[in-house]
């Protein structure tokens, strides 16, 4: 090997090492049902991947949204590659727990016996907090160096809607209080530490410029601040950007004979409401972003355009 | 004009994924039947503040006669209190025995009865059942908690009642199989291994808490199960109908199709699918036709065309969807309304719109 090549290799491995020792970034995306969590999470992930990071986009539960959205063949627990630097996986409580059990017990037949047992499976799905803990355990496994490797710089999670998301965040603390001893208590405390770590965990609350979603977002923002002392970012999605001045809209809204009269009345109402909602958002946090309503029905074009605007 | 949806209907359940408009639709549907002369109760979950004010149920969990109404019948409303409903249910099942305090203190119970998966669905149905059982109303409309998928609502109570079934309870109550004979003890050894795995994963304290929980509920397990049977019977009765509320995009329509298949498999009666807020109201009214002056602002004209093209493109999905499910359920398209629909006149406007749409199909 030529000397300069050796030098170069040493340099590359040095860079790799520093990159790896940099903390893995975790981005939680939440918000009320239907506000655009999945689309925004995908756009965030795409944006990070374009800046050279290795990104894993994760959806939670046992049914994949992206599979239908992007017309993919099969989305499951093991990541599939969507784009260079961008992979996608679907994690459920059961699949996370299964992997963890395999890692801990190491006897495949025993793990299988456990998960093939109908009573156990049903139990896992209802046992309070167990699924939530397993999911957060998987998400933070890279940070905690616990479990199979998770070789990504950044994990973007399309999480649950507000109510269930709160339950997700509360699970580690709740569990560590209910079960103080044993492996579960210990794991819970570690996981809890990770989701409170400002350097690693980031929270994005998506909302529409509407009363209910904003109210839910405000409550969640306050909860995260009070409990974790972390400022969650607020994202106002589907903002209608009107390309004409408010004055023009107003005139046409008053002109009953104009064929765009009703359209203008609609726009006027939207503009007014958006102003009010932005004021409300401003009161919640100064850290808020707006994403326009994008008139695009092609899924990838929509995500790409959105990634450019976040 | 009597709506087909309400013929021989005693219970109407509005299901749908989070944020699609279930609460609003439940209230508007209730208005229709109150106007038609019935005693209607709408059981809501977490309504928006202004809607709660309109219904007179802000800050109270009691069944309330909606103020300011002038209907032929009467409209009542209530917000479901999950914690209280759950506790009441346990109290009743335990016949107020002393053991109930032990249960309330059990840390697993505390988690179970509040925010975790399935408990809100369970309490919604519990509340519905007790109102239905009272016989005080001609029609009860149930709003449902926000779930990820519409189908989650139907699956949740079964999942939860599973916790009360003897099979599971026995495991944790008597993990060593002490009460069993020698032979069944040997059969149990597979079970023991499985429990051992659970213990490795969670620790012995967790298993103990579980055992404690199941020992405490042992006495009234039968009552709990009986109740879930009764609730199930109520849900599949022909007088109970389901309305699926959904928003409008490809993924959601696919999910709706899945839901429609699943719900009929379960023996429930789906009547109507409401596609809510699917296009802005100005588009719906085809406003430009009856106006004589065409707008001379080019930018606004372009913007109008752009938005219109976008919504027409989406409309293709709708037509495909409707063609597919026409046989299974009625489909109503409701526009995104501009006016506030959280006051009584707004609800009436929406209810008129629903009646009008339904008479078209
Ligand atoms: N800025 C935007 N411009 C245009 N369309 C958007 C925008 N944001 C979201 N959408 C569309 O809105 C719909 C809802 O978005 P999405 O599925 O991401 O919401 P969600 O919060 O994940 O919903 P759920 O709670 O059901 O999971 C989708 O059809 C999506 O394409
Ligand atoms: N057709 C409509 N036009 C305009 N706004 C609507 C329409 N339907 C519902 N909304 C508004 O949408 C918001 C959400 O509606 P609603 O609270 O009924 O949804 P939900 O399905 O009950 O939500 P959740 O799952 O969180 O309980 C409310 O602010 C409501 O006023
Ligand atoms: Mg989603
Ligand atoms: Mg609601």
């Amino acid at each position: 090997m030529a000397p300069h090549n050796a030098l170069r290799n040493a340099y590359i491995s040095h860079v790799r090492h520093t990159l790896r020792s940099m903390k893995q970034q975790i981005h939680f995306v939440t918000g009320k049902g239907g506000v655009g969590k999945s689309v925004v999470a995908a756009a965030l992930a795409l944006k990070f991947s374009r800046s050279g990071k290795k990104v894993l986009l994760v959806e939670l539960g046992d049914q994949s949204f992206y599979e239908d959205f992007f017309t993919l063949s099969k989305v499951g627990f093991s990541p599939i590659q969507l784009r260079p630097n961008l992979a996608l996986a679907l994690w459920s409580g059961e699949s996370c727990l299964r992997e963890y059990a395999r890692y801990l017990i190491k006897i495949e037949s025993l793990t299988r016996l456990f998960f093939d047992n109908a009573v156990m499976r049903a139990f896992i799905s209802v046992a309070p907090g167990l699924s939530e803990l397993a999911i957060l355990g998987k998400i933070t496994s890279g940070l905690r160096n616990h479990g199979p490797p998770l070789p990504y710089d950044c994990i973007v999670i399309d999480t649950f809607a507000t109510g269930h998301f709160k339950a997700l965040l509360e699970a580690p603390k709740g569990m560590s209080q209910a079960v103080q001893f044993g492996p579960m208590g210990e794991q819970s405390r570690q996981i809890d530490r990770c989701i409170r770590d400002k350097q690693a965990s980031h929270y994005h609350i998506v909302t529409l410029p509407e009363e209910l979603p904003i109210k839910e977002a405000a409550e969640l923002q306050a909860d995260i601040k009070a409990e974790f002392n972390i400022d969650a970012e607020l994202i106002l999605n589907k903002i209608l950007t009107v390309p004409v001045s408010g004055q023009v809209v107003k005139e046409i809204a008053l002109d009953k004979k104009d064929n765009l009269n009703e359209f203008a009345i609609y726009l006027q109402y939207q503009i007014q409401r958006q102003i009010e909602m932005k004021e409300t958002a401003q009161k919640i946090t100064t850290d808020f972003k707006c994403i326009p309503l994008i008139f695009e029905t092609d899924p990838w074009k929509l995500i790409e355009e959105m990634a450019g605007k976040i | 004009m009597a709506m087909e949806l309400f013929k021989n209907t005693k219970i109407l359940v509005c299901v749908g994924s989070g944020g699609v408009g279930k609460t609003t639709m439940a209230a508007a549907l209730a208005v229709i039947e109150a106007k038609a002369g019935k005693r209607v109760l709408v059981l809501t979950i977490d309504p928006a503040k202004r809607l709660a004010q309109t219904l007179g149920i802000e800050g109270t969990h009691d069944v309330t006669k909606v103020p300011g109404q002038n209907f032929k019948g009467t409209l009542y409303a209530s917000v479901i209190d999950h914690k209280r409903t759950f506790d009441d249910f346990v109290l009743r099942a335990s016949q107020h025995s002393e053991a109930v305090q032990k249960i309330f203190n059990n840390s697993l119970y505390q988690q179970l009865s509040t925010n975790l998966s399935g408990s809100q669905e369970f309490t919604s149905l519990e509340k519905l059942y007790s109102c239905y059982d009272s016989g005080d109303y001609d029609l009860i409309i149930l709003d449902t908690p926000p779930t990820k998928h519409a189908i989650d609502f139907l699956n949740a109570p079964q999942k939860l009642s599973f916790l009360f079934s003897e099979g599971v309870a026995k495991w944790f109550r008597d993990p060593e199989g002490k009460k069993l004979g020698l032979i069944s003890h040997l059969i149990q050894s597979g079970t023991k291994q499985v429990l051992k795995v659970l213990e490795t994963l969670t620790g012995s304290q967790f298993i103990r808490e579980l055992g404690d929980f199941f020992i405490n509920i042992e006495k009234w397990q039968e009552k709990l199960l009986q109740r879930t049977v009764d609730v199930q019977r109520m849900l599949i009765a022909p007088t109970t109908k389901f309305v699926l509320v959904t928003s409008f995009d490809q993924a959601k329509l696919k999910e709706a199709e899945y839901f429609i298949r699943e719900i009929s498999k379960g023996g429930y009666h789906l009547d109507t699918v409401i596609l809510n807020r699917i296009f802005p109201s100005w588009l719906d009214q085809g406003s430009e036709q009856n106006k004589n002056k065409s707008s001379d602002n080019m930018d606004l004209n372009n913007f109008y065309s752009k938005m219109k093209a976008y919504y027409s493109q989406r409309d293709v999905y709708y037509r495909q969807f409707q063609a597919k499910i026409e046989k299974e359920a009625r489909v109503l398209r409701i526009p995104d309304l501009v006016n506030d629909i959280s006051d009584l006149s707004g609800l009436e406007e929406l209810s008129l719109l629903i009646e009008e749409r339904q008479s078209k199909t």
Side-chain angles (χ1 to χ4, degrees), chain B residues 107-336:
Chain B
S107 63
L108 282 175
Y109 174 82
Q110 284 168 8
Q111 293 222 37
L112 199 68
S113 62
T114 51
N115 213 0
L116 283 158
S117 50
S119 65
Q120 287 206 356
E121 287 80 356
F122 180 83
T123 42
S124 304
L125 287 174
E126 178 53 30
K127 182 79 187 171
L128 172 66
Y129 186 82
S130 58
C131 293
Y132 173 66
D133 211 29
S134 76
D136 291 342
Y137 311 95
D138 302 321
L139 174 69
I140 304 173
I141 300 187
L142 178 70
D143 171 27
T144 54
T147 51
K148 183 143 173 65
H149 302 287
I151 200 76
D152 296 346
F153 178 75
L154 292 175
N155 293 338
Q158 269 144 332
K159 267 207 219 159
L160 202 66
S161 71
F162 176 86
L163 261 190
F164 304 138
S165 71
E166 186 49 28
V168 191
K170 204 164 55 197
W171 270 43
F172 293 104
R173 242 181 340 244
D174 185 23
E176 305 291 317
K178 284 192 196 103
K179 290 183 197 154
L180 301 165
L182 184 63
I183 295 181
S184 30
H185 197 121
L186 287 177
I187 299 169
Q188 284 281 100
S189 68
T191 305
K192 259 171 114 179
Q193 268 185 309
V194 170
L195 268 182
K196 204 82 206 139
V197 174
L198 185 67
E199 187 169 340
T200 312
L201 292 176
T202 61
S204 54
Q205 199 196 355
F206 183 74
I207 307 274
R208 238 179 294 126
E209 284 276 345
L210 270 176
D212 183 45
F213 176 79
F214 287 113
I215 286 169
N216 281 320
I217 65 166
E218 184 172 17
K219 287 196 201 72
W220 19 286
Q221 209 163 314
E222 210 170 298
K223 286 210 178 57
L224 293 170
L225 273 180
Q226 184 54 46
R227 189 64 159 208
T228 52
V229 171
D230 293 341
V231 166
Q232 196 57 25
R233 193 174 300 135
M234 165 184 79
L235 284 182
I236 58 171
T239 50
T240 300
K241 290 180 188 161
F242 284 79
V243 172
L244 172 67
V245 186
T246 178
S247 62
F248 181 73
D249 55 76
Q250 258 175 309
K252 276 280 140 59
L253 293 185
K254 241 191 190 152
E255 196 202 310
E257 280 175 40
Y258 170 77
F259 177 83
I260 291 162
R261 278 198 305 274
E262 288 300 303
I263 194 172
S264 56
K265 267 193 231 158
Y268 310 100
H269 302 90
L270 178 72
D271 189 278
T272 300
V273 177
I274 297 182
L275 297 175
N276 193 23
R277 311 183 75 173
I278 68 173
F279 41 73
S281 49
W282 52 264
L283 192 72
D284 187 38
Q285 286 147 8
S287 50
E288 78 245 70
Q289 280 124 29
N290 41 27
K291 298 285 159 76
N292 36 32
K293 183 183 144 203
S294 85
S295 198
D296 48 16
N297 187 300
M298 275 316 289
D299 287 337
L300 197 65
N301 263 315
N302 290 340
F303 189 47
Y304 177 78
S305 309
K306 186 175 161 189
M307 274 184 84
K308 202 176 157 170
Y310 170 71
Y311 285 107
S312 321
Q313 214 175 337
R314 284 166 39 121
D315 210 45
V316 176
Y317 303 136
Y318 161 72
R319 293 193 190 289
Q320 289 166 353
F321 174 76
Q322 188 178 22
K324 242 187 243 170
I325 69 145
E326 238 161 12
K327 281 171 239 93
E328 263 103 346
R330 221 190 315 275
V331 184
L332 305 185
R333 298 203 296 168
I334 303 295
D336 193 9

Side-chain angles (χ1 to χ4, degrees), chain A residues 31-40 65 69 158 161 237-239 291-296 302 306, chain B residues 17-18 148 248-250 252 255 310 314:
Chain A
K32 192 172 168 15
V35 295
K37 295 180 292 298
S38 304
V39 172
V40 170
F65 164 83
F69 188 67
D158 174 18
N237 189 24
K238 296 200 189 178
I239 297 281
I291 298 179
L293 176 63
I294 300 166
F295 300 107
E296 180 56 69
L302 174 68
M306 196 180 277
Chain B
S17 65
K148 183 143 173 65
F248 181 73
D249 55 76
Q250 258 175 309
K252 276 280 140 59
E255 196 202 310
Y310 170 71
R314 284 166 39 121

Side-chain angles (χ1 to χ4, degrees), chain A residues 32 212, chain B residues 19 21-24 45-47 143-146:
Chain A
K32 192 172 168 15
L212 270 182
Chain B
K22 296 178 293 295
T23 310
T24 311
I45 290 157
D46 225 357
D143 171 27
T144 54

Side-chain angles (χ1 to χ4, degrees), chain A residues 86-119:
Chain A
L86 178 59
L88 170 67
L90 169 71
W91 293 349
S92 68
E94 190 189 315
S95 59
C96 291
L97 200 62
R98 190 184 276 261
E99 187 197 58
Y100 180 62
R102 211 178 278 134
Y103 171 80
L104 212 67
I105 296 161
K106 300 199 170 67
I107 307 168
E108 180 60 27
S109 61
L110 203 56
T111 315
R112 208 170 316 124
L113 183 72
F114 181 76
F115 284 96
D116 285 351
N117 186 292
V119 174

Side-chain angles (χ1 to χ4, degrees), chain B residues 80-92:
Chain B
I80 296 174
D81 180 344
H82 298 289
K83 177 90 180 112
R84 197 169 84 184
T85 309
F86 207 99
D87 288 354
D88 279 356
F89 170 65
V90 170
L91 270 173
R92 226 179 314 118

